[in-house]
Amino acid sequence: MSKNSSDPRIQELWTTFHFAGEEPTPEEFILWFRDLFLMMRN
């Protein structure tokens, strides 16, 4: 759902997400989100 969001902030976050196929796997998403969370905590 978030990938198709019209919110500019969400779309900006998606530009930082690099995945192998046409759609991210759940594992790729979890790892990306974890890294994003850790960066925002600091």
Side-chain angles (χ1 to χ4, degrees):
M1 272 178 27
S2 63
K3 185 178 176 195
N4 297 322
S5 172
S6 62
D7 185 327
R9 296 171 298 171
I10 302 298
Q11 288 304 310
E12 184 178 340
L13 284 175
W14 272 101
T15 64
T16 68
F17 189 8
H18 304 285
F19 43 91
E22 213 172 290
E23 293 285 327
T25 65
E27 292 83 2
E28 289 172 321
F29 181 80
I30 290 167
L31 291 173
W32 171 74
F33 191 78
R34 178 207 60 193
D35 292 345
L36 183 64
F37 176 77
L38 291 174
M39 286 186 342
M40 292 180 132
R41 281 185 39 185
N42 294 325

